[in-house]
Amino acid sequence: MKLPEELRSQPIMAGGTALLALIACFGFLATIVQLRETTTALEASTAYEIQKDARELVEDLRSHPDFAALYEGAQPKDRKQALLDVWLMINFHLSVFRQSEADGLSADFSKTFAADFCEFVTRKPIAEAWQELTLLGQITEPQKRMRNVWCAPG
């Protein structure tokens, strides 16, 4: 007895459909792996750029005698310039904080920068500069929020 043509083609179509589904699954998994690798590479590149920018900022600020004096607890000749330099450092960290919140940085990298920031703003002369900048309206909610999130105990 001979089977009708449509019954003979159904197993072939089912096998073909299963094969296509399997190929699609492998393609989807390969895409996920590629996206993870791309995300990791992007995080590494961003971290490198941030570290480079941080080194340049620190080198620049070290060359400012007023910032250096304030940082060491001495009286700067130009307090306004020293406060501006402190504000620049705080706002550099704010940009890193925002990238961290947008999941653009690894958790370990963010923790390192948070620790650096907290060490910086808890240093007595910088803490006093923070207060002064707050009174001048230069420290606003974004900076305060960053400090609360990054420097909160626990």
Side-chain angles (χ1 to χ4, degrees), residues 36-37 50 71 80 91 111 120-121 143 146-147:
R36 282 190 186 145
E37 289 174 359
I50 289 171
Y71 185 79
K80 283 185 179 181
N91 280 290
K111 283 180 189 176
F120 177 69
V121 296
Q143 293 93 346
M146 170 181 59
R147 188 173 185 171

Side-chain angles (χ1 to χ4, degrees), residues 25-139:
C25 285
F26 281 124
F28 184 69
L29 290 174
T31 300
I32 289 172
V33 168
Q34 185 64 40
L35 282 173
R36 282 190 186 145
E37 289 174 359
T38 301
T39 299
T40 301
L42 184 59
E43 284 178 352
S45 174
T46 302
Y48 172 80
E49 286 300 317
I50 289 171
Q51 288 172 328
K52 180 177 166 262
D53 292 346
R55 279 191 303 275
E56 289 173 1
L57 178 61
V58 167
E59 284 178 27
D60 182 49
L61 292 178
R62 282 185 179 161
S63 71
H64 297 186
D66 295 310
F67 175 79
L70 182 116
Y71 185 79
E72 293 302 325
Q75 195 59 255
K77 289 181 183 175
D78 185 348
R79 185 149 186 92
K80 283 185 179 181
Q81 182 60 51
L83 289 173
L84 174 62
D85 291 343
V86 170
W87 182 85
L88 288 171
M89 181 65 87
I90 291 168
N91 280 290
F92 175 79
H93 281 88
L94 181 61
S95 69
V96 175
F97 175 74
R98 287 177 172 155
Q99 285 184 313
S100 173
E101 291 231 307
D103 292 330
L105 303 170
S106 73
D108 288 340
F109 185 80
S110 295
K111 283 180 189 176
T112 299
F113 253 81
D116 290 345
F117 171 75
C118 296
E119 183 180 319
F120 177 69
V121 296
T122 57
R123 188 177 177 87
K124 188 175 188 247
I126 302 301
E128 291 169 356
W130 176 284
Q131 292 299 88
E132 194 172 340
L133 287 165
T134 301
L135 292 172
L136 292 169
Q138 298 302 308
I139 299 293

